[in-house]
Amino acid sequence: MNTFVPPAVMGRVLSLRGSGVLPLAEGEVMADGLRVRVDRTATFQKVLSGASLYLKPPSQRQGCVVLNCPALHPKPNLPSPDTLTLGQLRTVLLTDHLGALLRRQGFTVSCCPVLPEESDIIAFLRMLGVDWPTVPVNWTNDEREEKMLDALQNSRYREREENEARSREGEGKKMEGEKEEVLLRVNLKRVFQEEQLSGYDPSLGTCTVLRDSVSHLAQLDSATAGCTASMVTAVHVTSCQDEFRQQQIAMLWRASGATVVQRHLVCGPVKTPATHLSAAQYLQLRRVQMKEASEMKYGEQVEGQTWDDIIKAMTSATVRFELLSTVHTSPVTLDVHREGSVSTKGPRGGVFVMYNCARLHTLFDSYERGVEKGLYPEIPESSQLDFSSLKEEGEWLLLFNYLIPFSELFDQSGQTLECDGGGARVNLKTEQVCKFLVSLSKDFSSYYNRVHVLGEPLPHLFNQMFCRLQLLRALRELYHSALDTLNLPPIRQL
């Protein structure tokens, strides 16, 4: 059977234009439909002439998102680096990463709870590049706590005295692991049933309200108080072990009168076979391993403030990629043996990504030195270059697989949050940035090892060199944008 496409239709297809449409060269009628060929030269010209547009979100979203990290709430004592578990550390880093992604898309984001400045946990988080909100050491939230307690006491979901008496005999559920003064009891099952909230554990039942629970609610109320957007969403980023408790908190907040949309992002456990490490011990182990690996590769030059900063950044990258490269609902298993867990070689996680980002900086430093010496002219505008000289398949892959889809990839978390329905849990593809960067680094490394970018300073070679530098300059900006969502500063030399 012959397929006929009228010339006018073919012409309209080949003349399609727009920011989301690649330039087309020709079309071919096949048995299964119309097949078109992308004009690679025109695509290089279009994308690299406006590369900054491809690195920005396709649209700026509106709304306020409160990211609540239960691992950092006092229970009743403030967490410390030595008491923070690896599973809890995973939720903190995921909260930090998600916040950067959502801000990039235009959301107003606040993190909860606020923590005392100069506390041990704040100092620890800063070592990992986490800029968590702080308050003065003498700050209290007593007034708001009283407000939340009063709201619960007047809630229609509060269990009255005769029911409270029975609850004391064991029919109700206490907040897990707590031994404090019971302030009152609330029937949480009625909350999600009467307000038709799906996805909550049916065994929530009646729970006791303790002082630390009221403190948690006051922090949430404080975080949402400054939100002026019409759409406010609270995302509770919690470990699977703490999910039940956080559902209790969420329903207590609802019972107090809060109308904020609440979603639960649940993280799988972090396993360390045959050993147990706190977050502080894990970070110290990775730092020591990173320093030893650097000394083995670079020798005696690994000393001084510059190398201290490099090792700090590489350690943070290692930790973040280990804990964030896996789908957040799945478990993470860490190799925490002293030997071989961290390497400066091979396509493995954060170190590999940071190393290849540094290679790009080194390349452009070499080019700039060549310009200063008069070997190379300045890079012309894209409109003055002939991109038909980019014939390497690796060059096309870097453009087509990474530069072009970059902004759409980073927009997905906001799209998911804006979707209605779906129940209490929300699954966001928070692992995609790490996987994207590792894949990019593998393809860039393969290309860089195969192609000599800075050629002989001969005029007839300049066009191809400049086209390659335009491509790699856009990739360098892509690295910066992606690493920024992980709060990782790019390494500029190694």
Side-chain angles (χ1 to χ4, degrees):
M1 176 180 176
N2 294 327
T3 303
F4 174 73
V5 177
V9 174
M10 179 73 81
R12 290 183 64 184
V13 171
L14 296 179
S15 64
L16 286 173
R17 296 292 183 267
S19 60
V21 180
L22 300 182
L24 304 177
E26 61 184 25
E28 181 181 3
V29 179
M30 309 294 290
D32 56 351
L34 179 64
R35 181 176 297 174
V36 295
R37 183 173 65 85
V38 172
D39 185 337
R40 292 191 175 187
T41 298
T43 301
F44 275 116
Q45 181 83 49
K46 176 180 179 179
V47 174
L48 296 181
S49 295
S52 61
L53 298 177
Y54 285 85
L55 300 180
K56 295 179 180 179
S59 62
Q60 285 292 299
R61 302 182 181 279
Q62 296 182 344
C64 180
V65 179
V66 174
L67 298 177
N68 180 39
C69 190
L72 296 179
H73 281 271
K75 305 183 194 61
N77 298 319
L78 191 70
S80 73
D82 293 316
T83 61
L84 196 70
T85 68
L86 294 181
Q88 291 172 329
L89 176 61
R90 185 184 186 187
T91 67
V92 175
L93 294 180
L94 198 148
T95 301
D96 185 57
H97 175 45
L98 183 57
L101 283 175
L102 294 174
R103 289 187 189 97
R104 187 179 183 277
Q105 296 167 47
F107 289 100
T108 301
V109 179
S110 60
C111 292
C112 178
V114 292
L115 297 172
E117 58 188 7
E118 308 306 325
S119 58
D120 289 345
I121 189 65
I122 284 294
F124 174 77
L125 294 179
R126 285 174 180 164
M127 291 173 66
L128 285 165
V130 178
D131 185 20
W132 200 266
T134 61
V135 289
V137 176
N138 60 355
W139 176 85
T140 65
N141 208 17
D142 293 346
E143 185 175 335
R144 202 171 291 272
E145 288 182 16
E146 290 306 313
K147 169 193 168 185
M148 299 308 297
L149 181 57
D150 184 62
L152 288 175
Q153 287 173 334
N154 293 300
S155 171
R156 64 193 179 100
Y157 300 111
R158 177 189 172 186
E159 291 283 286
R160 300 306 166 186
E161 290 185 5
E162 62 272 17
N163 292 329
E164 289 177 353
R166 287 199 295 270
S167 293
R168 293 189 187 97
E169 297 174 4
E171 290 183 19
K173 277 203 171 186
K174 277 191 176 184
M175 285 295 210
E176 295 179 347
E178 302 290 354
K179 295 181 180 179
E180 295 182 19
E181 173 195 0
V182 175
L183 302 178
L184 52 89
R185 289 173 171 80
V186 176
N187 189 324
L188 302 184
K189 193 168 186 176
R190 280 186 57 207
V191 178
F192 67 78
Q193 285 180 338
E194 293 184 15
E195 304 204 18
Q196 298 180 331
L197 302 172
S198 63
Y200 284 89
D201 193 320
S203 67
L204 283 175
T206 299
C207 77
T208 59
V209 178
L210 308 173
R211 179 58 63 181
D212 78 309
S213 307
V214 175
S215 173
H216 195 140
L217 296 178
Q219 287 266 14
L220 287 168
D221 186 64
S222 179
T224 55
C227 294
T228 57
S230 57
M231 180 63 179
V232 182
T233 303
V235 181
H236 305 290
V237 185
T238 185
S239 65
C240 56
Q241 295 93 332
D242 293 335
E243 182 183 11
F244 184 82
R245 174 187 171 85
Q246 195 53 41
Q247 286 200 6
Q248 289 178 313
I249 292 290
M251 288 300 94
L252 282 176
W253 197 20
R254 189 79 177 191
S256 73
T259 57
V260 172
V261 175
Q262 298 187 68
R263 309 300 297 274
H264 298 256
L265 192 149
V266 181
C267 295
V270 178
K271 302 176 181 179
T272 53
T275 188
H276 173 76
L277 292 177
S278 68
Q281 291 170 325
Y282 167 56
L283 180 61
Q284 176 62 17
L285 175 64
R286 288 293 185 249
R287 186 187 299 111
V288 170
Q289 290 174 331
M290 191 68 247
K291 190 171 190 300
E292 291 175 349
S294 299
E295 289 172 342
M296 287 182 64
K297 182 171 183 177
Y298 299 103
E300 296 180 356
Q301 65 174 302
V302 182
E303 61 180 19
Q305 187 60 50
T306 298
W307 270 102
D308 286 347
D309 293 341
I310 290 174
I311 289 170
K312 177 183 176 182
M314 296 290 252
T315 302
S316 180
T318 298
V319 169
R320 284 180 180 265
F321 274 76
E322 283 185 333
L323 295 180
L324 298 180
S325 294
T326 303
V327 176
H328 66 78
T329 54
S330 299
V332 171
T333 301
L334 299 176
D335 179 1
V336 293
H337 296 296
R338 290 277 300 180
E339 301 296 331
S341 293
V342 172
S343 173
T344 58
K345 298 179 180 180
R348 296 180 58 187
V351 173
F352 183 66
V353 169
M354 299 294 273
Y355 171 71
N356 279 284
C357 183
R359 294 173 85 181
L360 278 169
H361 282 280
T362 301
L363 169 69
F364 281 93
D365 287 345
S366 298
Y367 166 71
E368 292 297 336
R369 286 195 297 271
V371 172
E372 292 171 1
K373 293 176 181 178
L375 297 177
Y376 305 125
E378 295 286 350
I379 302 175
E381 294 293 327
S382 297
S383 59
Q384 302 175 32
L385 297 176
D386 177 11
F387 285 96
S388 65
S389 61
L390 296 183
K391 301 182 184 300
E392 277 275 339
E393 188 65 19
E395 292 159 350
W396 176 250
L397 290 178
L398 290 173
L399 184 90
F400 190 76
N401 290 346
Y402 302 103
L403 275 171
I404 291 175
F406 178 78
S407 62
E408 292 291 344
L409 172 76
F410 280 51
D411 195 43
Q412 292 179 3
S413 54
Q415 290 177 348
T416 304
L417 277 184
E418 287 183 340
C419 291
D420 293 327
R425 277 195 178 197
V426 60
N427 292 326
L428 303 177
K429 297 181 179 179
T430 52
E431 77 286 352
Q432 284 193 331
V433 173
C434 290
K435 288 186 174 181
F436 178 89
L437 282 169
V438 170
S439 179
L440 165 62
S441 297
K442 289 179 181 178
D443 285 342
F444 165 70
S445 181
S446 174
Y447 170 75
Y448 193 76
N449 291 336
R450 189 175 63 254
V451 174
H452 190 56
V453 178
L454 297 181
E456 294 294 322
L458 301 174
H460 71 281
L461 299 177
F462 284 161
N463 179 77
Q464 185 182 59
M465 182 184 75
F466 290 146
C467 288
R468 287 172 171 169
L469 287 173
Q470 286 275 30
L471 172 63
L472 297 181
R473 183 161 62 183
L475 280 182
R476 183 181 62 177
E477 295 308 308
L478 184 155
Y479 265 107
H480 290 181
S481 294
L483 290 173
D484 189 53
T485 69
L486 294 162
N487 277 331
L488 289 172
I491 301 296
R492 299 180 182 273
Q493 66 177 55
L494 273 178

